[in-house]
Amino acid sequence: MKKFEWMGSSMSEALYRKWRPQLWDQVVGQDHIVQTLKNAIRSDRVGHAYLFSGPRGTGKTTTARLLAKAVNCKSEEPNLRPCNQCENCLAVNQARFMDLIEIDAASNTSVDDVRDLREKIGFSPSQGKFKVYIIDEVQDRKSTRLNSSHRIRS
């Protein structure tokens, strides 16, 4: 059985993933955010946590993925991070970077999911310098379960 293809893209791959910006210069409409994050990377003063908020489709997850890629990029030149050429950048692009964990909070709603996350946080990064957790769709969590996830400590 052959998958339906449209303009060279398999229907099993979401368009927003296929066309997601891979470099800071490709992010549109978030110049102030991009500049702030690039300055943090350049000066090696990246915070331990960031909260991205805004309407749907404004690039929150994309920006978080770019930040994760940049902090784990192996480029010697901080101004060029992410380089999109090193082993870590390519692994992030191909969704096989083990130290970037994306969690859909709207789907992972049980207390067991939070416990599982708490257990995994204790492990050191295996591929990159940092282990990055992107917890997406947090606004969809029920308040009681959200309270249990607030107790996560690294």
Side-chain angles (χ1 to χ4, degrees), residues 57-84:
T58 55
K60 299 175 296 292
T61 304
T62 296
T63 304
R65 288 181 59 82
L66 279 169
L67 179 60
K69 187 163 46 166
V71 298
N72 284 298
C73 180
K74 293 183 174 183
S75 174
E76 295 292 325
E77 182 61 44
N79 292 335
L80 300 178
R81 293 181 191 155
C83 69
N84 241 14

PDB file of all heavy atoms in Angstrom, residues 57-84:
ATOM      1  N   GLY A  57      -0.248  29.036  16.928  1.00  0.00           N
ATOM      2  CA  GLY A  57       0.403  29.322  15.658  1.00  0.00           C
ATOM      3  C   GLY A  57       1.415  30.449  15.677  1.00  0.00           C
ATOM      4  O   GLY A  57       1.831  30.920  14.621  1.00  0.00           O
ATOM      5  N   THR A  58       1.827  30.891  16.855  1.00  0.00           N
ATOM      6  CA  THR A  58       2.784  32.000  16.918  1.00  0.00           C
ATOM      7  C   THR A  58       4.227  31.544  17.065  1.00  0.00           C
ATOM      8  O   THR A  58       5.116  32.374  17.178  1.00  0.00           O
ATOM      9  CB  THR A  58       2.436  32.962  18.074  1.00  0.00           C
ATOM     10  OG1 THR A  58       2.366  32.226  19.288  1.00  0.00           O
ATOM     11  CG2 THR A  58       1.125  33.670  17.806  1.00  0.00           C
ATOM     12  N   GLY A  59       4.455  30.239  17.093  1.00  0.00           N
ATOM     13  CA  GLY A  59       5.822  29.736  17.102  1.00  0.00           C
ATOM     14  C   GLY A  59       6.385  29.360  18.452  1.00  0.00           C
ATOM     15  O   GLY A  59       7.609  29.299  18.620  1.00  0.00           O
ATOM     16  N   LYS A  60       5.544  29.088  19.417  1.00  0.00           N
ATOM     17  CA  LYS A  60       6.031  28.752  20.763  1.00  0.00           C
ATOM     18  C   LYS A  60       6.852  27.462  20.762  1.00  0.00           C
ATOM     19  O   LYS A  60       7.983  27.431  21.238  1.00  0.00           O
ATOM     20  CB  LYS A  60       4.856  28.626  21.736  1.00  0.00           C
ATOM     21  CG  LYS A  60       4.048  29.900  21.895  1.00  0.00           C
ATOM     22  CD  LYS A  60       2.837  29.695  22.765  1.00  0.00           C
ATOM     23  CE  LYS A  60       1.824  28.739  22.216  1.00  0.00           C
ATOM     24  NZ  LYS A  60       1.104  29.179  21.020  1.00  0.00           N
ATOM     25  N   THR A  61       6.290  26.403  20.204  1.00  0.00           N
ATOM     26  CA  THR A  61       6.998  25.120  20.180  1.00  0.00           C
ATOM     27  C   THR A  61       8.206  25.192  19.256  1.00  0.00           C
ATOM     28  O   THR A  61       9.276  24.667  19.582  1.00  0.00           O
ATOM     29  CB  THR A  61       6.047  23.994  19.743  1.00  0.00           C
ATOM     30  OG1 THR A  61       4.922  23.983  20.625  1.00  0.00           O
ATOM     31  CG2 THR A  61       6.731  22.645  19.782  1.00  0.00           C
ATOM     32  N   THR A  62       8.072  25.857  18.133  1.00  0.00           N
ATOM     33  CA  THR A  62       9.197  26.021  17.211  1.00  0.00           C
ATOM     34  C   THR A  62      10.349  26.737  17.883  1.00  0.00           C
ATOM     35  O   THR A  62      11.511  26.325  17.780  1.00  0.00           O
ATOM     36  CB  THR A  62       8.743  26.795  15.959  1.00  0.00           C
ATOM     37  OG1 THR A  62       7.775  26.013  15.267  1.00  0.00           O
ATOM     38  CG2 THR A  62       9.909  27.112  15.045  1.00  0.00           C
ATOM     39  N   THR A  63      10.055  27.813  18.598  1.00  0.00           N
ATOM     40  CA  THR A  63      11.096  28.570  19.289  1.00  0.00           C
ATOM     41  C   THR A  63      11.745  27.722  20.377  1.00  0.00           C
ATOM     42  O   THR A  63      12.969  27.738  20.540  1.00  0.00           O
ATOM     43  CB  THR A  63      10.505  29.864  19.878  1.00  0.00           C
ATOM     44  OG1 THR A  63       9.888  30.612  18.822  1.00  0.00           O
ATOM     45  CG2 THR A  63      11.576  30.717  20.525  1.00  0.00           C
ATOM     46  N   ALA A  64      10.938  26.965  21.091  1.00  0.00           N
ATOM     47  CA  ALA A  64      11.483  26.083  22.129  1.00  0.00           C
ATOM     48  C   ALA A  64      12.390  25.023  21.524  1.00  0.00           C
ATOM     49  O   ALA A  64      13.464  24.712  22.062  1.00  0.00           O
ATOM     50  CB  ALA A  64      10.341  25.434  22.912  1.00  0.00           C
ATOM     51  N   ARG A  65      12.005  24.463  20.389  1.00  0.00           N
ATOM     52  CA  ARG A  65      12.845  23.459  19.718  1.00  0.00           C
ATOM     53  C   ARG A  65      14.147  24.079  19.221  1.00  0.00           C
ATOM     54  O   ARG A  65      15.217  23.461  19.305  1.00  0.00           O
ATOM     55  CB  ARG A  65      12.089  22.816  18.556  1.00  0.00           C
ATOM     56  CG  ARG A  65      10.977  21.875  19.004  1.00  0.00           C
ATOM     57  CD  ARG A  65      10.279  21.239  17.826  1.00  0.00           C
ATOM     58  NE  ARG A  65      11.183  20.470  16.978  1.00  0.00           N
ATOM     59  CZ  ARG A  65      11.569  19.226  17.222  1.00  0.00           C
ATOM     60  NH1 ARG A  65      11.130  18.603  18.280  1.00  0.00           N
ATOM     61  NH2 ARG A  65      12.382  18.606  16.397  1.00  0.00           N
ATOM     62  N   LEU A  66      14.078  25.292  18.689  1.00  0.00           N
ATOM     63  CA  LEU A  66      15.297  25.974  18.245  1.00  0.00           C
ATOM     64  C   LEU A  66      16.229  26.256  19.416  1.00  0.00           C
ATOM     65  O   LEU A  66      17.451  26.111  19.303  1.00  0.00           O
ATOM     66  CB  LEU A  66      14.952  27.280  17.524  1.00  0.00           C
ATOM     67  CG  LEU A  66      14.542  27.129  16.070  1.00  0.00           C
ATOM     68  CD1 LEU A  66      13.980  28.441  15.542  1.00  0.00           C
ATOM     69  CD2 LEU A  66      15.710  26.667  15.231  1.00  0.00           C
ATOM     70  N   LEU A  67      15.662  26.658  20.545  1.00  0.00           N
ATOM     71  CA  LEU A  67      16.475  26.896  21.741  1.00  0.00           C
ATOM     72  C   LEU A  67      17.139  25.603  22.200  1.00  0.00           C
ATOM     73  O   LEU A  67      18.327  25.582  22.519  1.00  0.00           O
ATOM     74  CB  LEU A  67      15.615  27.491  22.855  1.00  0.00           C
ATOM     75  CG  LEU A  67      16.319  27.777  24.175  1.00  0.00           C
ATOM     76  CD1 LEU A  67      17.459  28.777  23.985  1.00  0.00           C
ATOM     77  CD2 LEU A  67      15.323  28.288  25.198  1.00  0.00           C
ATOM     78  N   ALA A  68      16.381  24.515  22.207  1.00  0.00           N
ATOM     79  CA  ALA A  68      16.939  23.211  22.591  1.00  0.00           C
ATOM     80  C   ALA A  68      18.067  22.807  21.655  1.00  0.00           C
ATOM     81  O   ALA A  68      19.104  22.294  22.086  1.00  0.00           O
ATOM     82  CB  ALA A  68      15.838  22.159  22.588  1.00  0.00           C
ATOM     83  N   LYS A  69      17.871  23.060  20.372  1.00  0.00           N
ATOM     84  CA  LYS A  69      18.891  22.718  19.388  1.00  0.00           C
ATOM     85  C   LYS A  69      20.128  23.593  19.577  1.00  0.00           C
ATOM     86  O   LYS A  69      21.251  23.104  19.527  1.00  0.00           O
ATOM     87  CB  LYS A  69      18.318  22.879  17.981  1.00  0.00           C
ATOM     88  CG  LYS A  69      19.248  22.398  16.896  1.00  0.00           C
ATOM     89  CD  LYS A  69      18.609  22.159  15.540  1.00  0.00           C
ATOM     90  CE  LYS A  69      17.706  23.182  15.008  1.00  0.00           C
ATOM     91  NZ  LYS A  69      17.413  22.982  13.574  1.00  0.00           N
ATOM     92  N   ALA A  70      19.920  24.878  19.845  1.00  0.00           N
ATOM     93  CA  ALA A  70      21.037  25.806  20.001  1.00  0.00           C
ATOM     94  C   ALA A  70      21.883  25.502  21.234  1.00  0.00           C
ATOM     95  O   ALA A  70      23.114  25.565  21.177  1.00  0.00           O
ATOM     96  CB  ALA A  70      20.513  27.241  20.069  1.00  0.00           C
ATOM     97  N   VAL A  71      21.249  25.164  22.357  1.00  0.00           N
ATOM     98  CA  VAL A  71      22.034  24.903  23.574  1.00  0.00           C
ATOM     99  C   VAL A  71      22.808  23.594  23.486  1.00  0.00           C
ATOM    100  O   VAL A  71      23.782  23.406  24.220  1.00  0.00           O
ATOM    101  CB  VAL A  71      21.176  24.928  24.866  1.00  0.00           C
ATOM    102  CG1 VAL A  71      20.550  26.300  25.064  1.00  0.00           C
ATOM    103  CG2 VAL A  71      20.146  23.828  24.886  1.00  0.00           C
ATOM    104  N   ASN A  72      22.406  22.713  22.591  1.00  0.00           N
ATOM    105  CA  ASN A  72      23.105  21.434  22.421  1.00  0.00           C
ATOM    106  C   ASN A  72      23.956  21.381  21.156  1.00  0.00           C
ATOM    107  O   ASN A  72      24.566  20.352  20.870  1.00  0.00           O
ATOM    108  CB  ASN A  72      22.107  20.277  22.435  1.00  0.00           C
ATOM    109  CG  ASN A  72      21.624  19.980  23.826  1.00  0.00           C
ATOM    110  OD1 ASN A  72      22.398  19.625  24.697  1.00  0.00           O
ATOM    111  ND2 ASN A  72      20.333  20.161  24.053  1.00  0.00           N
ATOM    112  N   CYS A  73      24.000  22.469  20.405  1.00  0.00           N
ATOM    113  CA  CYS A  73      24.771  22.538  19.167  1.00  0.00           C
ATOM    114  C   CYS A  73      26.261  22.452  19.476  1.00  0.00           C
ATOM    115  O   CYS A  73      26.744  23.020  20.448  1.00  0.00           O
ATOM    116  CB  CYS A  73      24.462  23.846  18.437  1.00  0.00           C
ATOM    117  SG  CYS A  73      25.360  24.053  16.892  1.00  0.00           S
ATOM    118  N   LYS A  74      26.996  21.749  18.619  1.00  0.00           N
ATOM    119  CA  LYS A  74      28.430  21.549  18.820  1.00  0.00           C
ATOM    120  C   LYS A  74      29.293  22.590  18.111  1.00  0.00           C
ATOM    121  O   LYS A  74      30.517  22.514  18.169  1.00  0.00           O
ATOM    122  CB  LYS A  74      28.835  20.156  18.346  1.00  0.00           C
ATOM    123  CG  LYS A  74      28.262  19.045  19.192  1.00  0.00           C
ATOM    124  CD  LYS A  74      28.752  17.694  18.718  1.00  0.00           C
ATOM    125  CE  LYS A  74      28.304  16.600  19.654  1.00  0.00           C
ATOM    126  NZ  LYS A  74      28.835  15.288  19.239  1.00  0.00           N
ATOM    127  N   SER A  75      28.672  23.569  17.474  1.00  0.00           N
ATOM    128  CA  SER A  75      29.432  24.598  16.777  1.00  0.00           C
ATOM    129  C   SER A  75      30.318  25.360  17.763  1.00  0.00           C
ATOM    130  O   SER A  75      29.880  25.729  18.850  1.00  0.00           O
ATOM    131  CB  SER A  75      28.481  25.578  16.082  1.00  0.00           C
ATOM    132  OG  SER A  75      29.201  26.658  15.526  1.00  0.00           O
ATOM    133  N   GLU A  76      31.558  25.603  17.369  1.00  0.00           N
ATOM    134  CA  GLU A  76      32.499  26.332  18.214  1.00  0.00           C
ATOM    135  C   GLU A  76      32.097  27.802  18.348  1.00  0.00           C
ATOM    136  O   GLU A  76      32.423  28.446  19.334  1.00  0.00           O
ATOM    137  CB  GLU A  76      33.924  26.230  17.638  1.00  0.00           C
ATOM    138  CG  GLU A  76      34.483  24.831  17.637  1.00  0.00           C
ATOM    139  CD  GLU A  76      34.753  24.312  19.036  1.00  0.00           C
ATOM    140  OE1 GLU A  76      35.150  25.105  19.911  1.00  0.00           O
ATOM    141  OE2 GLU A  76      34.548  23.101  19.255  1.00  0.00           O
ATOM    142  N   GLU A  77      31.424  28.315  17.356  1.00  0.00           N
ATOM    143  CA  GLU A  77      31.036  29.726  17.318  1.00  0.00           C
ATOM    144  C   GLU A  77      29.619  29.909  17.857  1.00  0.00           C
ATOM    145  O   GLU A  77      28.647  29.503  17.210  1.00  0.00           O
ATOM    146  CB  GLU A  77      31.132  30.242  15.877  1.00  0.00           C
ATOM    147  CG  GLU A  77      30.808  31.706  15.710  1.00  0.00           C
ATOM    148  CD  GLU A  77      31.736  32.608  16.498  1.00  0.00           C
ATOM    149  OE1 GLU A  77      32.954  32.378  16.478  1.00  0.00           O
ATOM    150  OE2 GLU A  77      31.217  33.542  17.154  1.00  0.00           O
ATOM    151  N   PRO A  78      29.461  30.520  19.039  1.00  0.00           N
ATOM    152  CA  PRO A  78      28.121  30.691  19.621  1.00  0.00           C
ATOM    153  C   PRO A  78      27.145  31.459  18.729  1.00  0.00           C
ATOM    154  O   PRO A  78      25.947  31.217  18.784  1.00  0.00           O
ATOM    155  CB  PRO A  78      28.388  31.471  20.919  1.00  0.00           C
ATOM    156  CG  PRO A  78      29.808  31.206  21.241  1.00  0.00           C
ATOM    157  CD  PRO A  78      30.505  31.016  19.922  1.00  0.00           C
ATOM    158  N   ASN A  79      27.655  32.373  17.893  1.00  0.00           N
ATOM    159  CA  ASN A  79      26.775  33.151  17.007  1.00  0.00           C
ATOM    160  C   ASN A  79      26.115  32.283  15.940  1.00  0.00           C
ATOM    161  O   ASN A  79      25.124  32.694  15.350  1.00  0.00           O
ATOM    162  CB  ASN A  79      27.558  34.265  16.315  1.00  0.00           C
ATOM    163  CG  ASN A  79      28.002  35.321  17.286  1.00  0.00           C
ATOM    164  OD1 ASN A  79      27.400  35.515  18.335  1.00  0.00           O
ATOM    165  ND2 ASN A  79      29.083  36.006  16.953  1.00  0.00           N
ATOM    166  N   LEU A  80      26.677  31.109  15.688  1.00  0.00           N
ATOM    167  CA  LEU A  80      26.156  30.242  14.635  1.00  0.00           C
ATOM    168  C   LEU A  80      25.263  29.124  15.169  1.00  0.00           C
ATOM    169  O   LEU A  80      24.891  28.225  14.422  1.00  0.00           O
ATOM    170  CB  LEU A  80      27.317  29.623  13.851  1.00  0.00           C
ATOM    171  CG  LEU A  80      28.242  30.604  13.153  1.00  0.00           C
ATOM    172  CD1 LEU A  80      29.370  29.865  12.449  1.00  0.00           C
ATOM    173  CD2 LEU A  80      27.470  31.466  12.162  1.00  0.00           C
ATOM    174  N   ARG A  81      24.939  29.166  16.440  1.00  0.00           N
ATOM    175  CA  ARG A  81      24.112  28.107  17.027  1.00  0.00           C
ATOM    176  C   ARG A  81      22.632  28.434  16.882  1.00  0.00           C
ATOM    177  O   ARG A  81      22.242  29.547  17.223  1.00  0.00           O
ATOM    178  CB  ARG A  81      24.467  27.931  18.504  1.00  0.00           C
ATOM    179  CG  ARG A  81      25.858  27.399  18.691  1.00  0.00           C
ATOM    180  CD  ARG A  81      26.172  27.204  20.150  1.00  0.00           C
ATOM    181  NE  ARG A  81      27.602  26.944  20.298  1.00  0.00           N
ATOM    182  CZ  ARG A  81      28.276  27.194  21.398  1.00  0.00           C
ATOM    183  NH1 ARG A  81      27.676  27.683  22.459  1.00  0.00           N
ATOM    184  NH2 ARG A  81      29.552  26.947  21.453  1.00  0.00           N
ATOM    185  N   PRO A  82      21.814  27.528  16.423  1.00  0.00           N
ATOM    186  CA  PRO A  82      22.144  26.202  15.920  1.00  0.00           C
ATOM    187  C   PRO A  82      22.747  26.272  14.520  1.00  0.00           C
ATOM    188  O   PRO A  82      22.344  27.092  13.697  1.00  0.00           O
ATOM    189  CB  PRO A  82      20.808  25.480  15.896  1.00  0.00           C
ATOM    190  CG  PRO A  82      19.805  26.551  15.684  1.00  0.00           C
ATOM    191  CD  PRO A  82      20.365  27.769  16.379  1.00  0.00           C
ATOM    192  N   CYS A  83      23.707  25.391  14.260  1.00  0.00           N
ATOM    193  CA  CYS A  83      24.412  25.399  12.974  1.00  0.00           C
ATOM    194  C   CYS A  83      23.687  24.584  11.913  1.00  0.00           C
ATOM    195  O   CYS A  83      23.886  24.801  10.727  1.00  0.00           O
ATOM    196  CB  CYS A  83      25.833  24.875  13.151  1.00  0.00           C
ATOM    197  SG  CYS A  83      25.932  23.106  13.532  1.00  0.00           S
ATOM    198  N   ASN A  84      22.860  23.640  12.343  1.00  0.00           N
ATOM    199  CA  ASN A  84      22.119  22.761  11.435  1.00  0.00           C
ATOM    200  C   ASN A  84      23.029  21.826  10.655  1.00  0.00           C
ATOM    201  O   ASN A  84      22.633  21.281   9.637  1.00  0.00           O
ATOM    202  CB  ASN A  84      21.252  23.567  10.466  1.00  0.00           C
ATOM    203  CG  ASN A  84      19.801  23.255  10.620  1.00  0.00           C
ATOM    204  OD1 ASN A  84      19.398  22.638  11.598  1.00  0.00           O
ATOM    205  ND2 ASN A  84      19.001  23.683   9.668  1.00  0.00           N
TER     206      ASN A  84
END
